[in-house]
Amino acid sequence: MTSHLNGAEAMVRMLQCHGVRHIFGLCGDTTLPFYDAMARLDHNITHVLTRDERSAAYMADGYSRVTGRVGVAEGPSGGGATYILPGLIEATESSYAVLGITTDISVGSYGKYPLTEVNQEALMQPLTKWNTVIKQAAHIPRMVRAAFRAMTTTRAGAAHLGLPYDIQYDPVDRADIWGDPKHQSYPAYPQAPEPGAAEAAIEAILSAKHPLIICGGGVVISGAMEELSRLAIRLDIPVATSISGQGSLAETHPNCLGVVGSNGGTDQTWEMMQNADLVVFMGCRAGSTTTSRWEAPSPGTRIIHFDNDPMVIGANYQTEVGVVGDLRLALLQVNAVLDARDQGAETFGGAAAIAGIKKRKFAVFQKYAASSQAPIRPERVIDALMKILPADATVVSDPGTSCPYFSAYYQLPQAGRHFITNRAHGALGYSLSAALGAWFGRPSSKVVALMGDGSFGFTVGELETVCRCRAPITFIVFSNSNFGWIKASQNAEQDARYYNVDFNQTDHAAIAAAYGVKSWRVEDPNDLERVMRLAVGHDGPTLIDIVTQPLEQSNAPVRRWMG
Ligand SMILES: Cc1ncc(C[n+]2csc(CCOP(=O)(O)OP(=O)(O)O)c2C)c(N)n1
């Protein structure tokens, strides 16, 4: 064995050192040495060929969300680099670890007008937590380590590595091929809050009359669900979530209020937002959707904020106590303080209040879910999913109709990351690909992707990838022949002056069948449950094209259409 590898081989070995088992991506000229190294070397990495780099990055994102590990996407120079961008910004802003590797033109041809030249580092800069274009092969191991450190420590996010063509042939010292196993998953090296912060938070919470915890994605990301449940039960405090925060508690937990805010929140859950005299944000950025553009908590409400990113504290609300650190470690401290004081059973009456709110909320839901109206009401689809999906199913949604309906009404029976949606940028066309990534990360779970027909059009090409991978995912298309969310916005905010939001009805089942997906088209609500059982039970990919009620005519759980 020689003491040197070439740059491409070093990249493969460095990914292997960091526990990478799957790479999603698409070939190109500048990637030839990297693919050749993948082909020649003995490694346990599966490369999944995708049909679009956008999808590759979303697959890596879905994979990262369900595994807590780094998802890897790759593409070539030029178009590959520009197409991979949406997945990187989504991961960065949603705090998930995704590595985008784009090969690049040779360092030796910079500035000579070669095909596909673009300053990749500048391109990726605002979209990633960490980013570089590697200029020398000898730097590859160090730069890969830096990318993994950045992605997995403190707030997770995306990183980008540019890998020029020529340096993939240059030598790299074998002795420099190593990685810290801690950086294979996130949060790596979690940090506890400063002394006294947990006590201060408890003092404030116990002095309130109607406190409300609002969880964002950070609780599940840090694995703080059990500690949160202990705290919620002990103080009998109500816990709401953002859409990304679903799974902080099981939706069926007595202290779980459900989703609040403009998307997926209902009038009933909003009552608790308005009545809270103290709000505890946990791993939540208190952004526009969760607060319905900062309508509640209203100014003057006392705010306690737990987050591992100090920049989040005080960004939107004057904050009485900030607790900066990993959520799980912070909640361990909070519970330890309560244990030491033997203080608990401090009853805020959360569970009883939530039971009343949910009763009223689901009375409305059940009325519509039972409706045999056609086109089919979205409530009916969610109700059928609740009856049929197994407890450990993983559901991925695009931003259209399915997101607010699922978020508001689906009663996730388990804590953890079982619902995934791209809430940071909400780009259409996410769920089909993210679902495939989620399936690779959690192959034993039934994976279901929900999307509008607009989203389907963005991403349909990946049905070939799904079939090639034999992934038994069920795709559900809410077919309303328009960009429904925007049409509903025009209805609400422009006095129904509809402009260029409608498109032709498409037979999505026929398209899916052409790819080899077993598919059904459902127009009669009475067929829905039967077809859904067949689709979910089938051992290959399935798609149900459901002709659904237009969003602008529905009773959607949307407080404000404008995000
Ligand atoms: C890439 C991208 N372009 C535009 C938008 C703006 N947008 C938000 S929702 C929406 C309509 C979604 O339509 P569809 O997928 O058919 O779902 P529906 O709302 O009809 O259920 C659009 C165009 C977006 N989110 N992403």
Side-chain angles (χ1 to χ4, degrees), residues 451-466:
M451 70 198 77
D453 41 7
S455 273
F456 179 89
F458 273 77
T459 186
V460 48
E462 296 299 343
L463 285 178
E464 184 280 319
T465 315
V466 170

Side-chain angles (χ1 to χ4, degrees), residues 399-401 425-428 452-455 458 480 482-486 503 551:
T401 302
H425 271 228
L428 303 181
D453 41 7
S455 273
F458 273 77
N480 56 17
N482 56 48
F483 285 121
W485 190 281
I486 307 304
F503 46 74
L551 203 44

Side-chain angles (χ1 to χ4, degrees), residues 399-434:
T401 302
S402 55
C403 181
Y405 274 100
F406 190 92
S407 297
Y409 299 119
Y410 194 91
Q411 292 296 284
L412 288 165
Q414 292 180 357
R417 184 60 72 227
H418 294 283
F419 179 57
I420 296 173
T421 183
N422 52 336
R423 282 318 304 162
H425 271 228
L428 303 181
Y430 169 85
S431 74
L432 198 158
S433 302

